[in-house]
Amino acid sequence: MHGSFSSESEMNIINLGIPVAPVWSEAVTVMQCGFAFLEAGSVRSKNTSNILIKNLLDSFVAGIAYWSLGYAFAYGDGNSFIGWHGWASHELPLKELASFFFQFVFAATAATIVSGALAERCEFVAYFVYSFCITGFIYPVVTHWVWTSEGWLAKGRDYTIDGVSTTVAYSDFAGSGVVHCVGGTAAFVGAIILGPRIGRFHSETSTVLPLRGHSVPFAALGGFILLFGFMAFNGGSQLAISNPGDGAVVSLAIVNTVISGSMAAFISLFIHKVGIMGKTWSLLNTLNGALAGMVAICAGCNVIRPWGAAIVGTIAGVAFNITSWAMGKFGVDDPLDAVAVHFGGGVWGVLSVAFLSYDKGILLNWDKESGLLAGLAAIIAWTAVLCIFMFGTLHLLGIFRVSEEMERKGLDIPKHGEPAYPLESYGHGYIEEILT
Amino acid sequence: MHGSFSSESEMNIINLGIPVAPVWSEAVTVMQCGFAFLEAGSVRSKNTSNILIKNLLDSFVAGIAYWSLGYAFAYGDGNSFIGWHGWASHELPLKELASFFFQFVFAATAATIVSGALAERCEFVAYFVYSFCITGFIYPVVTHWVWTSEGWLAKGRDYTIDGVSTTVAYSDFAGSGVVHCVGGTAAFVGAIILGPRIGRFHSETSTVLPLRGHSVPFAALGGFILLFGFMAFNGGSQLAISNPGDGAVVSLAIVNTVISGSMAAFISLFIHKVGIMGKTWSLLNTLNGALAGMVAICAGCNVIRPWGAAIVGTIAGVAFNITSWAMGKFGVDDPLDAVAVHFGGGVWGVLSVAFLSYDKGILLNWDKESGLLAGLAAIIAWTAVLCIFMFGTLHLLGIFRVSEEMERKGLDIPKHGEPAYPLESYGHGYIEEILT
Amino acid sequence: MHGSFSSESEMNIINLGIPVAPVWSEAVTVMQCGFAFLEAGSVRSKNTSNILIKNLLDSFVAGIAYWSLGYAFAYGDGNSFIGWHGWASHELPLKELASFFFQFVFAATAATIVSGALAERCEFVAYFVYSFCITGFIYPVVTHWVWTSEGWLAKGRDYTIDGVSTTVAYSDFAGSGVVHCVGGTAAFVGAIILGPRIGRFHSETSTVLPLRGHSVPFAALGGFILLFGFMAFNGGSQLAISNPGDGAVVSLAIVNTVISGSMAAFISLFIHKVGIMGKTWSLLNTLNGALAGMVAICAGCNVIRPWGAAIVGTIAGVAFNITSWAMGKFGVDDPLDAVAVHFGGGVWGVLSVAFLSYDKGILLNWDKESGLLAGLAAIIAWTAVLCIFMFGTLHLLGIFRVSEEMERKGLDIPKHGEPAYPLESYGHGYIEEILT
């Protein structure tokens, strides 16, 4: 009788747990909107409709690609490298759709990171191709390695040194490596092959020139939405992969996200104020710093304590700024600083787990670190090689970059027939009398 | 003892289930914000404050009307046509308020669909009248027919042919007919009686002229929010009407929403690219296509499998474009394409259930289809007749349309004293030096 | 055996309850975005980046201050006045982090109210100081008084009159007093010490002159988000402080929020239409009215019935407008009407509970009212005294207000180097042919 009750109680957990998981996934879907407006505000008005439609299509391409192919590569039964069951959600039991939806949202996030780095000069059709490849193949394979029990990075390798047996494995809770390094690496490769925007670097001195976005409010709106989304991203990860009994850890993940993001924001704010990289209180750099802090805490937000999150955030703020500076130095044009945020924050995030896991203390765990380094190298190499092939092919086919004339004059009118702010739609017939 | 435990467990379900339902309803409330910005971006700047305040008041009018009258007509005990208990939530047990809130949010959605079709020329007071009538009476009666156990469309009719007994009934899971066809029909009737905006059709050739909205980013913002809201709309419907044990179906509903919306978006994108209806990659049409796909999947998102959702979305994208084209052809001016999205998508959505229900296979079920057709006809006829009376009265009283002068010069200044972008509030005293 | 099952069931409640609480907190975090855009739309374009970065930093400062100090003062064990355990979430059991996160979000809300009242003329560094003080000390102490079992306002005092023993205590469900009167009082004190903006009052007649914000759509966007956030704010409060078994009350709280906000919106709309305070249908006043209605219902949304909420909202709409009028009359410049919304709405909200609690009937309960009045006086006095000291010090140090030149020319360029809409980022190279 105990048994029957017990299973009844368990069923309650499952029945109730499922409606909560989609709530978190739902919350994460707003990140698509967040990226869209962060990018829309950061481009010039002549390319605004272009970047918005690309972000809109990201989700739809991901919807089809991840559903038809990606999920099967990622979570279908297979070998330690790749899965191959459940094409188009076929054979998938209904209750696994909650998990499918959550994973789909993550896949779409990985893909959407790239669009920022390619903004203002990339051909429309190229977006289809890379969105499809990333969400349909590149990203799913990495998740198979890390987030399934049969994946080679999840299983790790057993070593026996002096009679002591250790497993060296890779772990990454909410995807500092799996989501953000994949997205950041793809963005980096894409930005290099695509080349910088006209006017980005001084023709003689090669110094970075400002090509400012047309709307700080839209960029800030996107940022606010992303901050909100990141809490759900990290908090929801706990729920998706573990027992409902660990519910308290959801809150730990969210609190860590807040603390890490806050510290990274302050570091970035001050770096841009004290003269290292500027002399003003910069909104956009503060925002990007905060995002980098949230990216970095993804990997360990379930095992790091809040004081550890403060350290992760502080270093993430520095890592973001160094990466951003290096990008300019080496002549790579990333209009959104997407590489600095996601790759810079993500690499540090993966490595931070070996230092700051609560149960290990803050002493470096070299066994753990070596596993993380190896896994990170594998993820970056996999993504880079496939992206070089993918973006290189687009480049050789001449369908990666728009013509110089179109880049100078703007993409919205010739490509989309939809200027973001049509001139004829402004103005009143009335003249107001204003008291002064 | 078993009994006592069992009821205890059940109580847990109820106690815990309730806090989840309002979460979904909450998520759906953002659709009001979504509609507001989709519409604000799609009108000219001179009418922006006007459309925003109308959308804001939609929710408040619905709040009062649905609370005081609507819910009693809809879910109060009554006969098969209408209910009449629970005015102003009186006698309503506390635990039913979760359900009340969810239904209120749907009612507000049905009403807000209309405002887009009447934009830029409708009198302010007319909005109060129709919002009150739709959320207080027209929509609630339809929900009583379909979504209560005593409703005549829910019960259907029993036929015995050749000794075989069949029930022909109408079903509509998340309201392709109940919400969207009601809203779409009201929008259609309103737009016809109100007449087109000045300058919408060429004075000689009657061809459609573009009266573009003033901000693609605002329209896109609204669209992104609506996409998010639709997932909650369809997913939450499952939770509201069924046992917590069916939680897995929440995810099915959401996944179907994503798939159908994605397919409809692509179809609409390509129709506007390949020369049928244009030659550019149109953001606004892609967005509206996606919304039509999500409208269409409402009716069957709990019984259709993802591959079926792909078919529903594909046809919904076509249905949207045909309806949109027909509206222009017949001289009806709908600035937001609200009729094409909600009526076009909604009608197809209702009918799709008979083809694509998983347990029936994809062969057409004529018994089912006849019930759906009859129900749909009843819903459209009911809404159309009442709306003709309502909008016709407003028209005859001369309080439906603003004066020609005000329409030409814009509504914001004379009606609201609040131009969306007051000229005197722009500009800096500093001049920047920009490196180039 | 019964016992063991019982505790197992309870554990299920806890395990499942926790993942829901963060969902509500998550939803409340969007209020930061709401305030940011309400304020951004309400300032002139030259100060837009400034107000956005201030709102962004609000959350981050609160993240650090409330985590390191505030929560310990508020919810740590201590005496009836203040707590002193749990600095930097140290010693805090993991499961209490859900509660911590919820409370943090409320603290950030209390602080962010202030930024609106100080907009367009306040020094950047002053924001750090007051955000830190409010979220790290002023607000937490008040919550200790009211929302912990050892707080002196929560315990109240026992009186025995004619042999009948009564407890006179203060209660405040979701913070009409604790959150909104604290924020409103701080905003009021800050606005007085800071002084009005240049040009706000006529130099001779002292009448209020309009200094309109630059974007009604952004203000409306913020408003829509705040309306959404308020539902979660009030609904989530139920969940955070009580047993899961009271889940139905979550819905009561949300429905009351809708009803009260709706009524307050209408009252405010009509006051500004019928000539008392204007002659137009004002969007911004309607929006602020709705917010005041939602502020007012915070205190009693768990014990007031919907008809009571209609009364609360009606009076809140009047209270908002009277406060707003009085502010102008007495020469206090509050660009956002933050005092009128939060202080005006909040004071009435606290007092309303004694009239409209369902179990007491609508007759005034003087015992209750005296407790509420005393508590309210204590909260306002505490906040006012500390804010006079805090803002007064900033004023005396000369770091509270920017120079006159900077105020006239705008803060965005000299302080942040980020004009909201950089001129060089606008325009197309293509000229469209438009059919007319």
Side-chain angles (χ1 to χ4, degrees):
Chain A
M1 194 166 150
H2 184 287
S4 79
F5 266 112
S6 180
S7 64
E8 190 179 21
S9 291
E10 270 170 40
M11 227 176 58
N12 294 348
I13 294 182
I14 294 165
N15 290 344
L16 288 163
I18 288 172
V20 178
V23 171
W24 287 108
S25 317
E26 256 284 275
V28 182
T29 60
V30 302
M31 293 186 80
Q32 294 293 327
C33 181
F35 278 109
F37 281 86
L38 185 63
E39 295 180 15
S42 301
V43 302
R44 287 161 290 178
S45 73
K46 64 186 172 188
N47 299 320
T48 305
S49 297
N50 177 261
I51 202 75
L52 284 169
I53 190 172
K54 281 164 178 176
N55 272 283
L56 187 69
L57 286 171
D58 265 353
S59 317
F60 297 140
V61 171
I64 300 306
Y66 197 71
W67 169 64
S68 60
L69 302 176
Y71 191 77
F73 288 137
Y75 291 96
D77 290 330
N79 57 24
S80 68
F81 179 77
I82 198 166
W84 58 73
H85 285 91
W87 313 106
S89 74
H90 194 56
E91 300 167 10
L92 220 59
L94 271 196
K95 68 192 170 79
E96 209 179 318
L97 283 177
S99 165
F100 166 81
F101 179 54
F102 195 78
Q103 301 300 337
F104 149 68
V105 174
F106 269 48
T109 304
T112 209
I113 290 167
V114 183
S115 60
L118 310 184
E120 303 206 280
R121 60 208 190 279
C122 178
E123 266 290 354
F124 193 67
V125 75
Y127 276 84
F128 281 92
V129 174
Y130 87 72
S131 289
F132 198 93
C133 293
I134 291 177
T135 58
F137 185 68
I138 299 174
Y139 168 80
V141 170
V142 173
T143 58
H144 190 81
W145 298 352
V146 180
W147 286 340
T148 67
S149 55
E150 64 180 7
W152 68 276
L153 282 175
K155 283 191 292 192
R157 291 191 65 162
D158 297 323
Y159 289 96
T160 308
I161 302 172
D162 299 337
V164 181
S165 172
T166 329
T167 303
V168 174
Y170 175 87
S171 73
D172 186 346
F173 179 65
S176 288
V178 174
V179 177
H180 297 283
C181 286
V182 166
T185 302
F188 182 66
V189 172
I192 288 179
I193 295 178
L194 192 55
R197 288 169 293 173
I198 296 166
R200 177 57 166 168
F201 296 102
H202 194 285
S203 52
E204 287 160 24
T205 62
S206 292
T207 50
V208 179
L209 299 174
L211 289 180
R212 298 194 293 194
H214 80 288
S215 174
V216 170
F218 279 139
L221 175 65
F224 269 106
I225 295 172
L226 284 175
L227 298 180
F228 167 85
F230 256 115
M231 296 185 214
F233 194 95
N234 290 355
S237 293
Q238 177 61 27
L239 205 69
I241 67 164
S242 59
N243 300 317
D246 299 335
V249 184
V250 173
S251 301
L252 176 64
I254 294 180
V255 170
N256 280 339
T257 306
V258 172
I259 303 287
S260 179
S262 299
M263 290 306 296
F266 289 125
I267 294 298
S268 201
L269 178 69
F270 288 113
I271 286 177
H272 282 268
K273 173 64 183 171
V274 297
I276 301 175
M277 294 186 68
K279 289 182 178 171
T280 53
W281 305 103
S282 163
L283 169 60
L284 298 176
N285 283 296
T286 305
L287 188 56
N288 272 335
L291 294 176
M294 291 182 166
V295 165
I297 200 68
C298 284
C301 61
N302 62 329
V303 293
I304 291 175
R305 287 296 174 277
W307 57 260
I311 299 173
V312 171
T314 304
I315 299 178
V318 176
F320 158 69
N321 280 288
I322 291 175
T323 315
S324 173
W325 169 85
M327 291 285 284
K329 203 70 191 169
F330 294 115
V332 186
D333 180 16
D334 175 358
L336 265 287
D337 260 345
V339 176
V341 168
H342 297 278
F343 189 83
V347 167
W348 157 239
V350 169
L351 302 181
S352 74
V353 178
F355 295 84
L356 292 162
S357 286
Y358 185 63
D359 51 348
K360 306 284 183 182
I362 57 165
L363 290 175
L364 176 58
N365 179 338
W366 271 110
D367 285 348
K368 181 82 186 140
E369 191 68 23
S370 58
L372 295 175
L373 277 168
L376 194 56
I379 291 171
I380 294 171
W382 164 261
T383 309
V385 167
L386 288 180
C387 285
I388 289 169
F389 179 76
M390 176 177 73
F391 288 123
T393 306
L394 289 169
H395 178 68
L396 293 175
L397 292 174
I399 53 172
F400 195 23
R401 186 162 180 155
V402 300
S403 71
E404 191 189 317
E405 186 196 359
M406 198 178 285
E407 188 183 338
R408 287 191 190 278
K409 292 185 174 178
L411 282 66
D412 283 3
I413 290 173
K415 284 282 177 192
H416 308 287
E418 291 172 329
Y421 313 101
L423 286 177
E424 81 275 13
S425 302
Y426 284 80
H428 294 258
Y430 293 99
I431 293 162
E432 291 181 292
E433 285 178 45
I434 298 168
L435 301 172
T436 46
Chain B
M1 194 165 149
H2 184 286
S4 78
F5 266 114
S6 179
S7 62
E8 191 178 20
S9 290
E10 272 171 37
M11 226 176 59
N12 294 350
I13 295 183
I14 294 166
N15 291 344
L16 288 163
I18 288 172
V20 177
V23 171
W24 287 107
S25 318
E26 256 285 274
V28 182
T29 60
V30 302
M31 294 186 79
Q32 294 293 326
C33 182
F35 278 109
F37 281 86
L38 185 63
E39 296 180 15
S42 300
V43 302
R44 287 162 290 178
S45 73
K46 63 187 173 186
N47 300 320
T48 304
S49 297
N50 178 262
I51 202 76
L52 283 169
I53 190 171
K54 282 164 176 174
N55 272 284
L56 187 68
L57 286 170
D58 264 353
S59 317
F60 297 141
V61 171
I64 301 304
Y66 197 72
W67 169 64
S68 59
L69 302 176
Y71 191 77
F73 288 137
Y75 290 96
D77 290 331
N79 56 26
S80 67
F81 179 77
I82 196 167
W84 59 75
H85 285 91
W87 313 107
S89 75
H90 194 56
E91 302 168 10
L92 219 61
L94 271 195
K95 68 193 170 79
E96 209 179 318
L97 284 177
S99 165
F100 166 81
F101 179 54
F102 195 78
Q103 301 300 337
F104 149 69
V105 174
F106 271 47
T109 304
T112 210
I113 290 167
V114 183
S115 59
L118 311 183
E120 301 206 281
R121 59 208 192 279
C122 176
E123 266 289 354
F124 193 67
V125 75
Y127 276 84
F128 281 92
V129 173
Y130 87 72
S131 289
F132 198 93
C133 292
I134 291 176
T135 58
F137 185 67
I138 299 174
Y139 169 80
V141 170
V142 173
T143 58
H144 189 80
W145 298 352
V146 179
W147 286 340
T148 67
S149 55
E150 64 179 8
W152 69 276
L153 282 175
K155 283 191 293 192
R157 291 192 68 163
D158 297 322
Y159 290 95
T160 308
I161 302 171
D162 299 337
V164 181
S165 172
T166 329
T167 302
V168 174
Y170 175 86
S171 74
D172 186 347
F173 180 64
S176 288
V178 174
V179 176
H180 297 284
C181 285
V182 166
T185 303
F188 182 66
V189 171
I192 289 179
I193 296 178
L194 192 56
R197 288 168 295 173
I198 297 165
R200 177 56 165 168
F201 295 102
H202 194 285
S203 52
E204 287 160 24
T205 61
S206 292
T207 50
V208 179
L209 298 174
L211 290 179
R212 298 194 292 194
H214 80 288
S215 174
V216 169
F218 279 139
L221 175 63
F224 269 106
I225 295 173
L226 285 174
L227 298 181
F228 167 85
F230 256 115
M231 294 186 215
F233 194 95
N234 291 355
S237 293
Q238 176 61 27
L239 206 69
I241 68 164
S242 61
N243 300 317
D246 298 334
V249 184
V250 172
S251 300
L252 176 63
I254 294 181
V255 170
N256 280 339
T257 307
V258 173
I259 303 287
S260 179
S262 298
M263 290 305 296
F266 289 123
I267 293 298
S268 202
L269 178 70
F270 289 113
I271 286 177
H272 282 268
K273 173 64 183 172
V274 296
I276 301 175
M277 294 186 68
K279 289 182 180 171
T280 54
W281 304 103
S282 164
L283 169 60
L284 298 175
N285 283 296
T286 305
L287 189 55
N288 273 334
L291 294 175
M294 291 183 166
V295 165
I297 199 67
C298 284
C301 61
N302 62 328
V303 292
I304 291 174
R305 286 295 174 277
W307 57 261
I311 299 173
V312 170
T314 305
I315 299 179
V318 176
F320 157 69
N321 280 289
I322 291 176
T323 314
S324 174
W325 169 84
M327 291 285 286
K329 202 71 190 168
F330 294 116
V332 186
D333 180 17
D334 175 358
L336 265 287
D337 260 345
V339 175
V341 168
H342 298 279
F343 189 84
V347 166
W348 158 239
V350 168
L351 302 182
S352 73
V353 178
F355 295 84
L356 292 161
S357 286
Y358 184 64
D359 50 348
K360 307 283 183 182
I362 57 164
L363 290 174
L364 176 58
N365 178 336
W366 271 110
D367 285 348
K368 183 79 187 143
E369 191 68 24
S370 58
L372 294 174
L373 276 168
L376 193 57
I379 291 171
I380 293 172
W382 162 261
T383 308
V385 168
L386 288 180
C387 284
I388 289 169
F389 179 77
M390 177 176 72
F391 289 124
T393 306
L394 289 170
H395 178 68
L396 292 175
L397 293 174
I399 54 172
F400 195 25
R401 187 162 178 154
V402 299
S403 70
E404 191 188 318
E405 186 198 358
M406 197 177 287
E407 188 184 338
R408 286 189 189 278
K409 292 185 173 177
L411 283 66
D412 283 3
I413 289 173
K415 285 281 178 192
H416 307 287
E418 291 172 330
Y421 312 102
L423 285 178
E424 82 275 12
S425 302
Y426 283 81
H428 293 260
Y430 293 99
I431 294 163
E432 291 182 291
E433 284 178 47
I434 298 169
L435 301 172
T436 47
Chain C
M1 194 166 149
H2 184 287
S4 79
F5 265 112
S6 180
S7 62
E8 190 178 20
S9 291
E10 270 170 40
M11 227 176 59
N12 293 349
I13 294 183
I14 294 165
N15 290 345
L16 288 162
I18 288 171
V20 177
V23 171
W24 287 107
S25 318
E26 256 284 274
V28 182
T29 61
V30 302
M31 293 186 79
Q32 295 293 327
C33 181
F35 277 109
F37 281 86
L38 185 62
E39 297 181 15
S42 302
V43 301
R44 288 162 289 178
S45 73
K46 64 186 171 188
N47 300 320
T48 304
S49 297
N50 177 262
I51 202 76
L52 284 168
I53 189 172
K54 282 164 176 173
N55 272 283
L56 187 70
L57 287 170
D58 265 353
S59 318
F60 297 140
V61 172
I64 301 304
Y66 196 71
W67 169 64
S68 60
L69 303 176
Y71 191 78
F73 288 137
Y75 291 96
D77 291 330
N79 58 25
S80 66
F81 178 77
I82 196 166
W84 59 75
H85 285 90
W87 313 106
S89 75
H90 194 57
E91 301 168 10
L92 220 59
L94 271 196
K95 68 191 171 80
E96 208 180 317
L97 284 177
S99 165
F100 166 80
F101 179 53
F102 195 79
Q103 301 300 337
F104 150 68
V105 174
F106 270 48
T109 304
T112 210
I113 290 167
V114 182
S115 60
L118 311 183
E120 302 205 280
R121 60 207 191 279
C122 176
E123 265 290 354
F124 192 67
V125 75
Y127 276 83
F128 280 92
V129 174
Y130 87 72
S131 289
F132 199 93
C133 291
I134 291 176
T135 57
F137 186 67
I138 299 174
Y139 169 80
V141 170
V142 173
T143 57
H144 190 81
W145 298 354
V146 178
W147 287 340
T148 68
S149 55
E150 64 179 8
W152 68 277
L153 282 175
K155 284 191 291 192
R157 291 192 64 162
D158 296 324
Y159 289 95
T160 309
I161 300 172
D162 300 336
V164 180
S165 173
T166 330
T167 303
V168 175
Y170 175 86
S171 74
D172 187 346
F173 179 65
S176 288
V178 173
V179 176
H180 297 283
C181 286
V182 166
T185 302
F188 182 66
V189 171
I192 288 180
I193 295 178
L194 192 56
R197 287 169 294 172
I198 296 165
R200 177 57 166 167
F201 296 102
H202 194 284
S203 53
E204 287 160 24
T205 61
S206 292
T207 50
V208 179
L209 299 175
L211 289 180
R212 298 194 292 194
H214 80 289
S215 174
V216 170
F218 279 139
L221 175 64
F224 269 106
I225 294 173
L226 285 175
L227 298 180
F228 167 84
F230 256 115
M231 295 185 215
F233 194 95
N234 291 354
S237 293
Q238 176 61 27
L239 205 70
I241 68 165
S242 61
N243 301 317
D246 299 335
V249 184
V250 173
S251 299
L252 176 63
I254 294 180
V255 170
N256 280 339
T257 306
V258 173
I259 303 286
S260 178
S262 298
M263 290 305 296
F266 289 124
I267 293 299
S268 202
L269 178 70
F270 289 112
I271 286 177
H272 282 268
K273 173 64 183 171
V274 297
I276 300 176
M277 294 186 67
K279 288 181 179 170
T280 52
W281 305 103
S282 164
L283 169 60
L284 298 176
N285 283 295
T286 305
L287 188 56
N288 273 334
L291 293 175
M294 291 184 165
V295 165
I297 200 67
C298 284
C301 62
N302 62 328
V303 291
I304 291 175
R305 286 295 175 277
W307 56 261
I311 299 174
V312 170
T314 305
I315 298 179
V318 175
F320 158 68
N321 280 289
I322 291 177
T323 313
S324 175
W325 170 85
M327 291 285 285
K329 202 70 190 168
F330 294 116
V332 186
D333 180 17
D334 176 357
L336 265 288
D337 261 345
V339 176
V341 168
H342 297 278
F343 189 84
V347 167
W348 158 238
V350 169
L351 302 181
S352 73
V353 178
F355 295 83
L356 292 163
S357 285
Y358 184 64
D359 51 347
K360 307 284 184 180
I362 58 164
L363 290 174
L364 176 58
N365 178 337
W366 271 109
D367 286 348
K368 183 79 186 142
E369 190 69 23
S370 58
L372 295 174
L373 276 168
L376 194 56
I379 291 171
I380 294 172
W382 163 261
T383 308
V385 167
L386 288 180
C387 284
I388 289 170
F389 179 76
M390 176 177 72
F391 289 124
T393 306
L394 288 170
H395 178 68
L396 292 175
L397 293 173
I399 54 171
F400 196 23
R401 187 162 179 153
V402 299
S403 70
E404 191 188 317
E405 187 198 357
M406 198 177 287
E407 188 183 337
R408 286 191 190 278
K409 292 185 173 178
L411 282 66
D412 282 4
I413 290 174
K415 285 279 178 194
H416 307 288
E418 291 172 329
Y421 312 101
L423 285 178
E424 82 275 12
S425 302
Y426 284 80
H428 293 259
Y430 294 100
I431 293 162
E432 291 181 292
E433 283 178 48
I434 299 168
L435 301 172
T436 46

